[in-house]
Amino acid sequence: MRLQRETIRARKQIQERQADLSELEESLGPVRLKEFQDWDQDHPEIEKFCSNYSDLKPPSRAETLRRLYAKETGTQVESANSDLADSASSPSLLLSAAIDLETQRARLEEKAKLASDGGNKEAVADWISAESKFKSALSRHYAELPVHAPLLVDLDLTLPSPRLLHTASLYFPSDFTTDERSRLKLNRLAELEASLRIPLAQEEIVHLRNALGVKAFLIRDGRQMGKSGDSGVAVLTRKQGRVKQAQVRIDQIANRYRRHYSALKDLDTQFGIGTEAGDLKELSAKDLDIITTWTEQDIQYKRGEKRPTIGKSFVAVPWIWKGFGPGLVSKEDSEDVVAEKIKKFNYQAMRVEWLISKALLQRWIEEEKLLREEARRIVAYFFWKEKELKDCHDTTDSGTGYRSWLERKRRMWRDMARRADKTRAKTEEMIAAGRW
């Protein structure tokens, strides 16, 4: 009976997924659908569920840092992970190292929480190790900060107590108001901080789209999680554990983006077409939902706009799938050119959605196939057990009592086999007739 229920459930899911995929493919049109199918054949399994910013190509942090460092010192720096000793001669390297410290501080806070919430010895040891490394890096930062911001010496540049180390201030220009930055002569550092955070924020959007694609691939069993929380059930399975890890990854990326965006707002950064920051926006929880089915018409509508709907309510596409950076459009582009470029950019979002719909259908087809095979093997096993006991009954030299026991067991396996075979035949009949 359990297998019958699961098989019928799988068949219903197949019907629903086929309807969803057919609706989406109809909205895409034959030309675009053929492009997606060809692209699907040419890419590895996981990669194709992660969009890429082939049209955007924001400058990486390393490229920005090399440009700023060359402008300051007349020499080139090979990577963003240069020795912190060089930061004494370069404010851009100082701020780059401070941004790394900001991420390190956030991780230290997470480790401190795990250790304080009754964590095991490994969690405590991990926290102590991270605390030691952060303390050393923070000491260097406080020592080098007055070199590029002499007026900050009046502030309390002393390390907090070990228990509060994860709350230590890094004294970014964005931590001060506009008037305070002018008074402390931090305006030049503020420009550098904005120049470094912009490519980082844009890269986090790329990472966020990819992480959401991976999570959608892992879920398989529906677009949303379960009814009883993130795991769907009380006991996590291996698959659900991987989904939970994917959600942790999404939260980490989102928090990093929010830190960069908040700092850029505090630095009075300009956003929009033609600006260095591009179309960066505030990230809400709604933007992190697993993408729902949309059509080509849906994706061209802006958030908040209404349009006639048939059968289902319209869900606006989150801006992270419609956003664009400085490399896509410019102030000189006309409205038609901008619309065409953004439409081309959104091509990736529709491709990922089609791939997810296709994967969900294939998952349930495979599930049904496995369930029907399991039912067949159960019937075969029961009949094999009956035959084994019959052969043993016919060939044994034991007494009447043992032979009676073998006969009773043989009949038990025979009845179980008949019931299982009857249930399997009924299930196959229902599937063939389309009644489920």
Side-chain angles (χ1 to χ4, degrees), residues 422-436:
K422 183 178 179 180
T423 301
R424 175 175 171 270
K426 183 179 179 181
T427 303
E428 294 292 335
E429 181 183 346
M430 292 173 64
I431 292 176
R435 294 183 287 105
W436 51 74

Side-chain angles (χ1 to χ4, degrees), residues 235-291:
V235 180
L236 294 177
T237 64
R238 179 181 300 178
K239 180 187 72 174
Q240 291 164 337
R242 293 176 64 192
V243 172
K244 203 174 184 67
Q245 291 174 356
Q247 182 60 48
V248 170
R249 169 71 173 160
I250 290 171
D251 293 340
Q252 290 173 342
I253 297 172
N255 289 336
R256 290 200 302 267
Y257 173 82
R258 290 188 178 108
R259 289 198 297 269
H260 295 316
Y261 181 77
S262 177
L264 289 172
K265 284 190 66 177
D266 292 338
L267 292 169
D268 302 323
T269 305
Q270 297 297 315
F271 301 96
I273 294 177
T275 63
E276 185 182 359
D279 195 35
L280 299 177
K281 298 179 182 178
E282 188 170 353
L283 190 65
S284 67
K286 190 78 173 175
D287 297 325
L288 301 180
D289 287 343
I290 293 297
I291 49 179

